[in-house]
């Protein structure tokens, strides 16, 4: 009877722990990046009343052991690292991990790990979470590359960061020059702004004049209408496609007070869908793009699926600034909860394996979304009933054992 009473006590204790875990799960149903836990029970040591024996041939058979269990115990409280649902926020600094892995953040001298990607930039340009821990990753080197073999560090974006101007080196022209045009017709023109090495903008004009059958002369003119070069274009009369020149023609413009700009004029590939042609429709050549850029300052940014944080500048250009890293563990269930939706590495997890999102089993990143809690309320409410009934039944065992002991005491009367 005393054994049954203590077994009931062990059941009460175990189910109370189960209730504590369920209560914590339900309380964090809306916590970003929260991972639910579950309680695992196992039976306690059994008392051996009679041992087992083997048979003695044909005379007697074997005897099984007699054991009385001593109750239950909590064998483990295990975190469940299943994927939580994604919530669209539209905030550029909110990031979720689709798959395995954790963001690494530095709080003081300690590196912690989290699935909660609600980040923002502080006054110093550091990318931080809600507690001020700085997100870890790699910054772009002075050469413009990202060294992913280097140790991770704080991700910081300089306030007022600027991008240098770049001179135009290529202009693209597409469209059509009419096959019905005749020699002596007025030339057709198109214009395009180009950029010199100092970031100044200059408007150049390109004119197309028919000079012979299936032959056109393309002339480049500076803002003062002075020539900056010419090129002869020859088209196949059967297909209307350009056969010459084979390479993009080159032009040179020397702006006042700046170095000369030498650029090529891309007229499209003969087999491509976008090109300069000579068909029967009206002439309509168009300068569609150029690759130069004025000086720009950082206006916004975007985070790619591989964690690359790219700055978008006022001149329309973008370039990588940094890359977020993702940590993976051989045994993520060995992590220790550190509060604020963060985890601390333990000896059970193994070393943190830092790397690029989407590589080596790490999940990809999805900007503008947050991973919500993976708590399933239906499952938690079911477990709540089981815990309550288990606690109730264990208490009945204690009550029944107490009544039996009371009956035994009353035998002396």
């Amino acid at each position: 009877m005393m054994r049954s009473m203590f077994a009931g006590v062990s059941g009460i204790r175990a189910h109370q722990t189960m209730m504590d875990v369920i209560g914590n799960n339900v309380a964090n149903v809306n916590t970003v990046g929260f991972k639910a836990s579950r309680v695992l029970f196992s039976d306690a040591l059994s008392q051996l009343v009679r041992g087992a024996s083997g048979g003695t041939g044909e005379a007697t058979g074997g005897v099984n052991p007699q054991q009385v269990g001593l109750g239950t115990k909590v064998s483990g409280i295990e975190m469940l690292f299943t994927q939580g649902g994604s919530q669209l926020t539209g905030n550029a600094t909110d990031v979720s991990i689709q798959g395995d892995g954790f963001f690494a953040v530095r709080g003081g001298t300690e590196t912690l790990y989290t699935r909660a990607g609600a980040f923002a930039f502080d006054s110093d340009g550091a990318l931080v979470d809600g507690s001020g821990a700085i997100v870890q990753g790699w910054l772009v080197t002075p050469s413009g590359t990202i060294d992913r073999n280097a140790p991770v560090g704080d991700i910081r974006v300089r306030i007022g960061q600027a991008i240098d101007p770049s001179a135009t080196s290529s202009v693209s022209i597409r469209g059509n020059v009419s096959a019905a045009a005749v020699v002596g017709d007025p030339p057709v023109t198109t214009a395009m702004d180009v950029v010199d090495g100092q970031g100044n903008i200059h408007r150049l004009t390109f004119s197309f004049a028919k000079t012979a059958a299936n032959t056109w002369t393309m002339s480049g003119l500076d803002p003062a209408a002075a020539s900056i070069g010419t090129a002869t274009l020859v088209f196949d009369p059967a297909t209307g496609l350009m056969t010459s020149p084979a390479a993009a023609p080159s032009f040179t413009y020397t702006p006042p007070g700046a170095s000369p700009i030498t650029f090529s004029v891309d007229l499209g590939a003969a087999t491509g869908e976008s090109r300069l042609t000579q068909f029967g429709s009206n002439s309509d050549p168009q300068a569609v793009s150029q690759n130069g850029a004025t000086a720009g300052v950082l206006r916004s940014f975007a985070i790619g699926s591989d964690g690359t944080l790219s700055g978008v500048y006022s001149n329309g250009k973008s370039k990588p600034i940094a890359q977020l890293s993702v940590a993976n563990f051989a045994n993520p269930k060995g992590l220790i909860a550190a509060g604020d939706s963060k985890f601390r590495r333990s000896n059970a997890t193994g070393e943190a394996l830092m790397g690029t999102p989407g590589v080596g089993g790490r999940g990809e990143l999805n900007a503008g979304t947050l991973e919500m809690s993976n708590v399933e309320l239906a499952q938690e409410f079911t477990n709540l009933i089981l815990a309550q009934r288990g606690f109730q039944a264990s208490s009945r065992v204690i009550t029944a054992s107490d009544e039996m002991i009371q009956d035994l005491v009353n035998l002396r009367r």
Side-chain angles (χ1 to χ4, degrees), residues 33-36 80-87 95-103 115-116 361-366 369-376:
F34 178 79
K35 297 303 177 184
L80 304 175
F81 285 98
T82 56
Q83 182 78 40
S86 294
Q87 180 182 11
V95 191
S96 64
I97 300 176
Q98 301 299 311
D100 296 334
F102 300 83
F103 298 109
R115 295 279 297 192
R362 302 173 187 86
E364 294 184 343
L365 303 189
N366 191 0
T369 64
L370 289 176
E371 181 185 4
M372 302 306 293
S373 169
N374 68 345
V375 173
E376 293 286 349

PDB file of all heavy atoms in Angstrom, residues 33-36 80-87 95-103 115-116 361-366 369-376:
ATOM      1  N   GLY A  33       8.779  33.018 -33.363  1.00  0.00           N
ATOM      2  CA  GLY A  33       9.907  32.098 -33.322  1.00  0.00           C
ATOM      3  C   GLY A  33       9.892  31.117 -32.176  1.00  0.00           C
ATOM      4  O   GLY A  33      10.871  30.390 -31.982  1.00  0.00           O
ATOM      5  N   PHE A  34       8.788  31.055 -31.387  1.00  0.00           N
ATOM      6  CA  PHE A  34       8.748  30.153 -30.225  1.00  0.00           C
ATOM      7  C   PHE A  34       8.625  28.711 -30.684  1.00  0.00           C
ATOM      8  O   PHE A  34       7.921  28.399 -31.646  1.00  0.00           O
ATOM      9  CB  PHE A  34       7.570  30.513 -29.319  1.00  0.00           C
ATOM     10  CG  PHE A  34       7.427  29.610 -28.124  1.00  0.00           C
ATOM     11  CD1 PHE A  34       8.239  29.777 -27.018  1.00  0.00           C
ATOM     12  CD2 PHE A  34       6.487  28.583 -28.124  1.00  0.00           C
ATOM     13  CE1 PHE A  34       8.105  28.936 -25.915  1.00  0.00           C
ATOM     14  CE2 PHE A  34       6.352  27.753 -27.037  1.00  0.00           C
ATOM     15  CZ  PHE A  34       7.170  27.933 -25.924  1.00  0.00           C
ATOM     16  N   LYS A  35       9.306  27.813 -29.965  1.00  0.00           N
ATOM     17  CA  LYS A  35       9.239  26.391 -30.238  1.00  0.00           C
ATOM     18  C   LYS A  35       8.614  25.679 -29.036  1.00  0.00           C
ATOM     19  O   LYS A  35       9.087  25.818 -27.908  1.00  0.00           O
ATOM     20  CB  LYS A  35      10.622  25.812 -30.522  1.00  0.00           C
ATOM     21  CG  LYS A  35      11.275  26.393 -31.770  1.00  0.00           C
ATOM     22  CD  LYS A  35      10.417  26.194 -33.004  1.00  0.00           C
ATOM     23  CE  LYS A  35      11.007  26.821 -34.248  1.00  0.00           C
ATOM     24  NZ  LYS A  35      10.120  26.710 -35.415  1.00  0.00           N
ATOM     25  N   ALA A  36       7.540  24.944 -29.298  1.00  0.00           N
ATOM     26  CA  ALA A  36       6.824  24.238 -28.237  1.00  0.00           C
ATOM     27  C   ALA A  36       7.679  23.100 -27.675  1.00  0.00           C
ATOM     28  O   ALA A  36       8.611  22.617 -28.331  1.00  0.00           O
ATOM     29  CB  ALA A  36       5.508  23.694 -28.775  1.00  0.00           C
ATOM     30  N   LEU A  80      10.326  21.001 -29.701  1.00  0.00           N
ATOM     31  CA  LEU A  80       9.927  20.557 -31.036  1.00  0.00           C
ATOM     32  C   LEU A  80      10.304  21.642 -32.038  1.00  0.00           C
ATOM     33  O   LEU A  80       9.712  22.729 -32.031  1.00  0.00           O
ATOM     34  CB  LEU A  80       8.424  20.287 -31.071  1.00  0.00           C
ATOM     35  CG  LEU A  80       7.909  19.279 -30.042  1.00  0.00           C
ATOM     36  CD1 LEU A  80       6.395  19.196 -30.103  1.00  0.00           C
ATOM     37  CD2 LEU A  80       8.529  17.908 -30.273  1.00  0.00           C
ATOM     38  N   PHE A  81      11.265  21.362 -32.903  1.00  0.00           N
ATOM     39  CA  PHE A  81      11.748  22.365 -33.854  1.00  0.00           C
ATOM     40  C   PHE A  81      11.085  22.201 -35.219  1.00  0.00           C
ATOM     41  O   PHE A  81      11.724  22.357 -36.259  1.00  0.00           O
ATOM     42  CB  PHE A  81      13.273  22.278 -33.978  1.00  0.00           C
ATOM     43  CG  PHE A  81      13.987  22.849 -32.794  1.00  0.00           C
ATOM     44  CD1 PHE A  81      14.443  22.021 -31.780  1.00  0.00           C
ATOM     45  CD2 PHE A  81      14.168  24.213 -32.676  1.00  0.00           C
ATOM     46  CE1 PHE A  81      15.087  22.552 -30.679  1.00  0.00           C
ATOM     47  CE2 PHE A  81      14.815  24.745 -31.572  1.00  0.00           C
ATOM     48  CZ  PHE A  81      15.273  23.916 -30.570  1.00  0.00           C
ATOM     49  N   THR A  82       9.778  21.936 -35.206  1.00  0.00           N
ATOM     50  CA  THR A  82       9.037  21.918 -36.457  1.00  0.00           C
ATOM     51  C   THR A  82       8.854  23.351 -36.958  1.00  0.00           C
ATOM     52  O   THR A  82       8.937  24.305 -36.186  1.00  0.00           O
ATOM     53  CB  THR A  82       7.674  21.252 -36.263  1.00  0.00           C
ATOM     54  OG1 THR A  82       6.965  21.927 -35.224  1.00  0.00           O
ATOM     55  CG2 THR A  82       7.841  19.788 -35.898  1.00  0.00           C
ATOM     56  N   GLN A  83       8.592  23.486 -38.257  1.00  0.00           N
ATOM     57  CA  GLN A  83       8.454  24.809 -38.866  1.00  0.00           C
ATOM     58  C   GLN A  83       7.175  25.479 -38.391  1.00  0.00           C
ATOM     59  O   GLN A  83       6.099  24.886 -38.422  1.00  0.00           O
ATOM     60  CB  GLN A  83       8.427  24.680 -40.382  1.00  0.00           C
ATOM     61  CG  GLN A  83       8.334  25.995 -41.132  1.00  0.00           C
ATOM     62  CD  GLN A  83       9.670  26.725 -41.196  1.00  0.00           C
ATOM     63  OE1 GLN A  83      10.706  26.101 -41.378  1.00  0.00           O
ATOM     64  NE2 GLN A  83       9.636  28.024 -41.045  1.00  0.00           N
ATOM     65  N   GLY A  84       7.297  26.734 -37.932  1.00  0.00           N
ATOM     66  CA  GLY A  84       6.124  27.519 -37.597  1.00  0.00           C
ATOM     67  C   GLY A  84       5.560  28.190 -38.834  1.00  0.00           C
ATOM     68  O   GLY A  84       6.222  28.299 -39.869  1.00  0.00           O
ATOM     69  N   GLY A  85       4.329  28.633 -38.744  1.00  0.00           N
ATOM     70  CA  GLY A  85       3.701  29.312 -39.869  1.00  0.00           C
ATOM     71  C   GLY A  85       4.339  30.660 -40.135  1.00  0.00           C
ATOM     72  O   GLY A  85       4.889  31.299 -39.232  1.00  0.00           O
ATOM     73  N   SER A  86       4.287  31.134 -41.395  1.00  0.00           N
ATOM     74  CA  SER A  86       4.855  32.425 -41.780  1.00  0.00           C
ATOM     75  C   SER A  86       3.769  33.488 -41.772  1.00  0.00           C
ATOM     76  O   SER A  86       2.658  33.258 -42.262  1.00  0.00           O
ATOM     77  CB  SER A  86       5.497  32.353 -43.165  1.00  0.00           C
ATOM     78  OG  SER A  86       6.619  31.497 -43.163  1.00  0.00           O
ATOM     79  N   GLN A  87       4.112  34.628 -41.214  1.00  0.00           N
ATOM     80  CA  GLN A  87       3.196  35.767 -41.203  1.00  0.00           C
ATOM     81  C   GLN A  87       3.792  36.881 -42.049  1.00  0.00           C
ATOM     82  O   GLN A  87       4.924  37.309 -41.823  1.00  0.00           O
ATOM     83  CB  GLN A  87       2.961  36.272 -39.779  1.00  0.00           C
ATOM     84  CG  GLN A  87       2.021  37.465 -39.711  1.00  0.00           C
ATOM     85  CD  GLN A  87       1.838  37.977 -38.302  1.00  0.00           C
ATOM     86  OE1 GLN A  87       2.560  37.577 -37.402  1.00  0.00           O
ATOM     87  NE2 GLN A  87       0.888  38.868 -38.104  1.00  0.00           N
ATOM     88  N   VAL A  95      12.674  38.873 -41.137  1.00  0.00           N
ATOM     89  CA  VAL A  95      13.181  37.751 -41.919  1.00  0.00           C
ATOM     90  C   VAL A  95      12.796  36.454 -41.225  1.00  0.00           C
ATOM     91  O   VAL A  95      12.910  36.336 -40.001  1.00  0.00           O
ATOM     92  CB  VAL A  95      14.717  37.811 -42.074  1.00  0.00           C
ATOM     93  CG1 VAL A  95      15.188  36.790 -43.100  1.00  0.00           C
ATOM     94  CG2 VAL A  95      15.184  39.202 -42.468  1.00  0.00           C
ATOM     95  N   SER A  96      12.340  35.499 -42.003  1.00  0.00           N
ATOM     96  CA  SER A  96      12.068  34.165 -41.457  1.00  0.00           C
ATOM     97  C   SER A  96      12.952  33.145 -42.160  1.00  0.00           C
ATOM     98  O   SER A  96      13.379  33.352 -43.294  1.00  0.00           O
ATOM     99  CB  SER A  96      10.593  33.791 -41.637  1.00  0.00           C
ATOM    100  OG  SER A  96      10.256  33.687 -43.000  1.00  0.00           O
ATOM    101  N   ILE A  97      13.223  32.049 -41.459  1.00  0.00           N
ATOM    102  CA  ILE A  97      14.011  30.948 -42.014  1.00  0.00           C
ATOM    103  C   ILE A  97      13.037  29.859 -42.444  1.00  0.00           C
ATOM    104  O   ILE A  97      12.242  29.371 -41.636  1.00  0.00           O
ATOM    105  CB  ILE A  97      15.012  30.392 -40.987  1.00  0.00           C
ATOM    106  CG1 ILE A  97      15.980  31.477 -40.534  1.00  0.00           C
ATOM    107  CG2 ILE A  97      15.775  29.208 -41.573  1.00  0.00           C
ATOM    108  CD1 ILE A  97      16.936  31.022 -39.441  1.00  0.00           C
ATOM    109  N   GLN A  98      13.099  29.494 -43.724  1.00  0.00           N
ATOM    110  CA  GLN A  98      12.279  28.409 -44.247  1.00  0.00           C
ATOM    111  C   GLN A  98      13.137  27.155 -44.304  1.00  0.00           C
ATOM    112  O   GLN A  98      13.850  26.917 -45.265  1.00  0.00           O
ATOM    113  CB  GLN A  98      11.743  28.774 -45.637  1.00  0.00           C
ATOM    114  CG  GLN A  98      10.906  30.028 -45.681  1.00  0.00           C
ATOM    115  CD  GLN A  98       9.664  29.918 -44.825  1.00  0.00           C
ATOM    116  OE1 GLN A  98       8.920  28.946 -44.900  1.00  0.00           O
ATOM    117  NE2 GLN A  98       9.429  30.926 -43.995  1.00  0.00           N
ATOM    118  N   GLY A  99      13.090  26.377 -43.228  1.00  0.00           N
ATOM    119  CA  GLY A  99      13.927  25.188 -43.125  1.00  0.00           C
ATOM    120  C   GLY A  99      14.688  25.199 -41.814  1.00  0.00           C
ATOM    121  O   GLY A  99      14.299  25.858 -40.845  1.00  0.00           O
ATOM    122  N   ASP A 100      15.794  24.466 -41.781  1.00  0.00           N
ATOM    123  CA  ASP A 100      16.575  24.328 -40.555  1.00  0.00           C
ATOM    124  C   ASP A 100      17.529  25.505 -40.373  1.00  0.00           C
ATOM    125  O   ASP A 100      17.934  26.149 -41.335  1.00  0.00           O
ATOM    126  CB  ASP A 100      17.389  23.029 -40.584  1.00  0.00           C
ATOM    127  CG  ASP A 100      16.500  21.793 -40.605  1.00  0.00           C
ATOM    128  OD1 ASP A 100      15.364  21.894 -40.107  1.00  0.00           O
ATOM    129  OD2 ASP A 100      16.938  20.750 -41.128  1.00  0.00           O
ATOM    130  N   GLY A 101      17.908  25.731 -39.118  1.00  0.00           N
ATOM    131  CA  GLY A 101      18.910  26.742 -38.825  1.00  0.00           C
ATOM    132  C   GLY A 101      18.404  27.821 -37.899  1.00  0.00           C
ATOM    133  O   GLY A 101      17.210  27.911 -37.579  1.00  0.00           O
ATOM    134  N   PHE A 102      19.352  28.675 -37.466  1.00  0.00           N
ATOM    135  CA  PHE A 102      19.063  29.739 -36.517  1.00  0.00           C
ATOM    136  C   PHE A 102      19.862  30.981 -36.911  1.00  0.00           C
ATOM    137  O   PHE A 102      20.978  30.883 -37.428  1.00  0.00           O
ATOM    138  CB  PHE A 102      19.473  29.328 -35.093  1.00  0.00           C
ATOM    139  CG  PHE A 102      18.777  28.099 -34.586  1.00  0.00           C
ATOM    140  CD1 PHE A 102      19.239  26.832 -34.912  1.00  0.00           C
ATOM    141  CD2 PHE A 102      17.652  28.204 -33.780  1.00  0.00           C
ATOM    142  CE1 PHE A 102      18.604  25.690 -34.458  1.00  0.00           C
ATOM    143  CE2 PHE A 102      17.005  27.073 -33.320  1.00  0.00           C
ATOM    144  CZ  PHE A 102      17.489  25.817 -33.658  1.00  0.00           C
ATOM    145  N   PHE A 103      19.280  32.148 -36.666  1.00  0.00           N
ATOM    146  CA  PHE A 103      20.057  33.374 -36.749  1.00  0.00           C
ATOM    147  C   PHE A 103      21.015  33.420 -35.566  1.00  0.00           C
ATOM    148  O   PHE A 103      20.666  33.011 -34.451  1.00  0.00           O
ATOM    149  CB  PHE A 103      19.144  34.598 -36.697  1.00  0.00           C
ATOM    150  CG  PHE A 103      18.176  34.695 -37.830  1.00  0.00           C
ATOM    151  CD1 PHE A 103      16.819  34.487 -37.625  1.00  0.00           C
ATOM    152  CD2 PHE A 103      18.609  35.001 -39.116  1.00  0.00           C
ATOM    153  CE1 PHE A 103      15.914  34.578 -38.664  1.00  0.00           C
ATOM    154  CE2 PHE A 103      17.707  35.088 -40.164  1.00  0.00           C
ATOM    155  CZ  PHE A 103      16.360  34.875 -39.932  1.00  0.00           C
ATOM    156  N   ARG A 115      15.207  31.910 -33.767  1.00  0.00           N
ATOM    157  CA  ARG A 115      14.398  31.790 -34.980  1.00  0.00           C
ATOM    158  C   ARG A 115      13.549  33.038 -35.192  1.00  0.00           C
ATOM    159  O   ARG A 115      12.867  33.162 -36.203  1.00  0.00           O
ATOM    160  CB  ARG A 115      13.464  30.578 -34.869  1.00  0.00           C
ATOM    161  CG  ARG A 115      14.162  29.241 -34.817  1.00  0.00           C
ATOM    162  CD  ARG A 115      14.583  28.729 -36.145  1.00  0.00           C
ATOM    163  NE  ARG A 115      13.479  28.475 -37.053  1.00  0.00           N
ATOM    164  CZ  ARG A 115      13.588  27.814 -38.189  1.00  0.00           C
ATOM    165  NH1 ARG A 115      14.762  27.340 -38.585  1.00  0.00           N
ATOM    166  NH2 ARG A 115      12.546  27.634 -38.983  1.00  0.00           N
ATOM    167  N   ALA A 116      13.569  33.944 -34.230  1.00  0.00           N
ATOM    168  CA  ALA A 116      12.764  35.162 -34.305  1.00  0.00           C
ATOM    169  C   ALA A 116      13.527  36.206 -35.107  1.00  0.00           C
ATOM    170  O   ALA A 116      14.530  36.752 -34.639  1.00  0.00           O
ATOM    171  CB  ALA A 116      12.441  35.679 -32.911  1.00  0.00           C
ATOM    172  N   GLY A 361      22.215  22.212 -45.962  1.00  0.00           N
ATOM    173  CA  GLY A 361      21.081  21.848 -45.115  1.00  0.00           C
ATOM    174  C   GLY A 361      20.459  22.997 -44.360  1.00  0.00           C
ATOM    175  O   GLY A 361      19.495  22.794 -43.615  1.00  0.00           O
ATOM    176  N   ARG A 362      20.978  24.204 -44.526  1.00  0.00           N
ATOM    177  CA  ARG A 362      20.399  25.363 -43.860  1.00  0.00           C
ATOM    178  C   ARG A 362      19.211  25.878 -44.671  1.00  0.00           C
ATOM    179  O   ARG A 362      19.207  25.814 -45.884  1.00  0.00           O
ATOM    180  CB  ARG A 362      21.437  26.465 -43.686  1.00  0.00           C
ATOM    181  CG  ARG A 362      22.669  26.034 -42.892  1.00  0.00           C
ATOM    182  CD  ARG A 362      23.746  27.102 -42.898  1.00  0.00           C
ATOM    183  NE  ARG A 362      24.966  26.616 -42.270  1.00  0.00           N
ATOM    184  CZ  ARG A 362      25.907  25.944 -42.898  1.00  0.00           C
ATOM    185  NH1 ARG A 362      25.769  25.695 -44.195  1.00  0.00           N
ATOM    186  NH2 ARG A 362      26.975  25.517 -42.262  1.00  0.00           N
ATOM    187  N   GLY A 363      18.224  26.422 -43.962  1.00  0.00           N
ATOM    188  CA  GLY A 363      17.049  26.940 -44.634  1.00  0.00           C
ATOM    189  C   GLY A 363      17.337  28.242 -45.360  1.00  0.00           C
ATOM    190  O   GLY A 363      18.301  28.946 -45.072  1.00  0.00           O
ATOM    191  N   GLU A 364      16.481  28.563 -46.332  1.00  0.00           N
ATOM    192  CA  GLU A 364      16.571  29.845 -47.027  1.00  0.00           C
ATOM    193  C   GLU A 364      15.830  30.916 -46.243  1.00  0.00           C
ATOM    194  O   GLU A 364      14.993  30.622 -45.374  1.00  0.00           O
ATOM    195  CB  GLU A 364      15.975  29.725 -48.436  1.00  0.00           C
ATOM    196  CG  GLU A 364      16.760  28.799 -49.348  1.00  0.00           C
ATOM    197  CD  GLU A 364      16.195  28.793 -50.757  1.00  0.00           C
ATOM    198  OE1 GLU A 364      15.035  29.231 -50.934  1.00  0.00           O
ATOM    199  OE2 GLU A 364      16.907  28.360 -51.682  1.00  0.00           O
ATOM    200  N   LEU A 365      16.133  32.171 -46.541  1.00  0.00           N
ATOM    201  CA  LEU A 365      15.505  33.286 -45.851  1.00  0.00           C
ATOM    202  C   LEU A 365      14.370  33.851 -46.696  1.00  0.00           C
ATOM    203  O   LEU A 365      14.423  33.830 -47.914  1.00  0.00           O
ATOM    204  CB  LEU A 365      16.532  34.375 -45.555  1.00  0.00           C
ATOM    205  CG  LEU A 365      17.767  33.959 -44.742  1.00  0.00           C
ATOM    206  CD1 LEU A 365      18.569  35.194 -44.347  1.00  0.00           C
ATOM    207  CD2 LEU A 365      17.383  33.154 -43.524  1.00  0.00           C
ATOM    208  N   ASN A 366      13.369  34.364 -46.004  1.00  0.00           N
ATOM    209  CA  ASN A 366      12.219  34.979 -46.664  1.00  0.00           C
ATOM    210  C   ASN A 366      11.983  36.327 -46.007  1.00  0.00           C
ATOM    211  O   ASN A 366      11.487  36.404 -44.876  1.00  0.00           O
ATOM    212  CB  ASN A 366      10.990  34.076 -46.527  1.00  0.00           C
ATOM    213  CG  ASN A 366       9.844  34.526 -47.407  1.00  0.00           C
ATOM    214  OD1 ASN A 366       9.957  35.520 -48.137  1.00  0.00           O
ATOM    215  ND2 ASN A 366       8.736  33.819 -47.348  1.00  0.00           N
ATOM    216  N   THR A 369       8.666  38.607 -43.819  1.00  0.00           N
ATOM    217  CA  THR A 369       7.813  37.662 -43.096  1.00  0.00           C
ATOM    218  C   THR A 369       8.454  37.311 -41.765  1.00  0.00           C
ATOM    219  O   THR A 369       9.666  37.486 -41.581  1.00  0.00           O
ATOM    220  CB  THR A 369       7.594  36.366 -43.890  1.00  0.00           C
ATOM    221  OG1 THR A 369       8.858  35.683 -44.039  1.00  0.00           O
ATOM    222  CG2 THR A 369       7.008  36.648 -45.259  1.00  0.00           C
ATOM    223  N   LEU A 370       7.652  36.812 -40.844  1.00  0.00           N
ATOM    224  CA  LEU A 370       8.131  36.320 -39.557  1.00  0.00           C
ATOM    225  C   LEU A 370       7.614  34.904 -39.340  1.00  0.00           C
ATOM    226  O   LEU A 370       6.486  34.582 -39.732  1.00  0.00           O
ATOM    227  CB  LEU A 370       7.653  37.214 -38.411  1.00  0.00           C
ATOM    228  CG  LEU A 370       8.282  38.602 -38.293  1.00  0.00           C
ATOM    229  CD1 LEU A 370       7.619  39.382 -37.165  1.00  0.00           C
ATOM    230  CD2 LEU A 370       9.790  38.504 -38.058  1.00  0.00           C
ATOM    231  N   GLU A 371       8.441  34.077 -38.715  1.00  0.00           N
ATOM    232  CA  GLU A 371       7.998  32.732 -38.347  1.00  0.00           C
ATOM    233  C   GLU A 371       7.272  32.805 -37.013  1.00  0.00           C
ATOM    234  O   GLU A 371       7.838  33.255 -36.018  1.00  0.00           O
ATOM    235  CB  GLU A 371       9.184  31.773 -38.253  1.00  0.00           C
ATOM    236  CG  GLU A 371       8.758  30.357 -37.904  1.00  0.00           C
ATOM    237  CD  GLU A 371       9.931  29.414 -37.687  1.00  0.00           C
ATOM    238  OE1 GLU A 371      11.087  29.889 -37.736  1.00  0.00           O
ATOM    239  OE2 GLU A 371       9.695  28.219 -37.456  1.00  0.00           O
ATOM    240  N   MET A 372       6.052  32.363 -36.990  1.00  0.00           N
ATOM    241  CA  MET A 372       5.269  32.399 -35.770  1.00  0.00           C
ATOM    242  C   MET A 372       5.531  31.149 -34.928  1.00  0.00           C
ATOM    243  O   MET A 372       6.275  30.249 -35.326  1.00  0.00           O
ATOM    244  CB  MET A 372       3.779  32.530 -36.103  1.00  0.00           C
ATOM    245  CG  MET A 372       3.450  33.775 -36.925  1.00  0.00           C
ATOM    246  SD  MET A 372       4.062  35.299 -36.161  1.00  0.00           S
ATOM    247  CE  MET A 372       3.037  35.362 -34.699  1.00  0.00           C
ATOM    248  N   SER A 373       4.900  31.099 -33.763  1.00  0.00           N
ATOM    249  CA  SER A 373       5.037  29.955 -32.867  1.00  0.00           C
ATOM    250  C   SER A 373       4.531  28.688 -33.541  1.00  0.00           C
ATOM    251  O   SER A 373       3.586  28.722 -34.344  1.00  0.00           O
ATOM    252  CB  SER A 373       4.247  30.219 -31.583  1.00  0.00           C
ATOM    253  OG  SER A 373       4.139  29.045 -30.807  1.00  0.00           O
ATOM    254  N   ASN A 374       5.157  27.561 -33.225  1.00  0.00           N
ATOM    255  CA  ASN A 374       4.698  26.281 -33.775  1.00  0.00           C
ATOM    256  C   ASN A 374       3.759  25.552 -32.811  1.00  0.00           C
ATOM    257  O   ASN A 374       3.520  24.341 -32.960  1.00  0.00           O
ATOM    258  CB  ASN A 374       5.888  25.383 -34.139  1.00  0.00           C
ATOM    259  CG  ASN A 374       6.668  24.899 -32.927  1.00  0.00           C
ATOM    260  OD1 ASN A 374       6.522  25.427 -31.818  1.00  0.00           O
ATOM    261  ND2 ASN A 374       7.518  23.916 -33.121  1.00  0.00           N
ATOM    262  N   VAL A 375       3.215  26.258 -31.822  1.00  0.00           N
ATOM    263  CA  VAL A 375       2.277  25.661 -30.864  1.00  0.00           C
ATOM    264  C   VAL A 375       0.970  25.334 -31.580  1.00  0.00           C
ATOM    265  O   VAL A 375       0.378  26.187 -32.241  1.00  0.00           O
ATOM    266  CB  VAL A 375       2.010  26.613 -29.686  1.00  0.00           C
ATOM    267  CG1 VAL A 375       0.915  26.067 -28.792  1.00  0.00           C
ATOM    268  CG2 VAL A 375       3.287  26.841 -28.880  1.00  0.00           C
ATOM    269  N   GLU A 376       0.536  24.085 -31.448  1.00  0.00           N
ATOM    270  CA  GLU A 376      -0.754  23.654 -31.995  1.00  0.00           C
ATOM    271  C   GLU A 376      -1.758  23.624 -30.850  1.00  0.00           C
ATOM    272  O   GLU A 376      -1.710  22.753 -29.978  1.00  0.00           O
ATOM    273  CB  GLU A 376      -0.623  22.262 -32.627  1.00  0.00           C
ATOM    274  CG  GLU A 376       0.242  22.213 -33.866  1.00  0.00           C
ATOM    275  CD  GLU A 376      -0.444  22.824 -35.080  1.00  0.00           C
ATOM    276  OE1 GLU A 376      -1.666  23.083 -34.987  1.00  0.00           O
ATOM    277  OE2 GLU A 376       0.228  23.048 -36.091  1.00  0.00           O
TER     278      GLU A 376
END
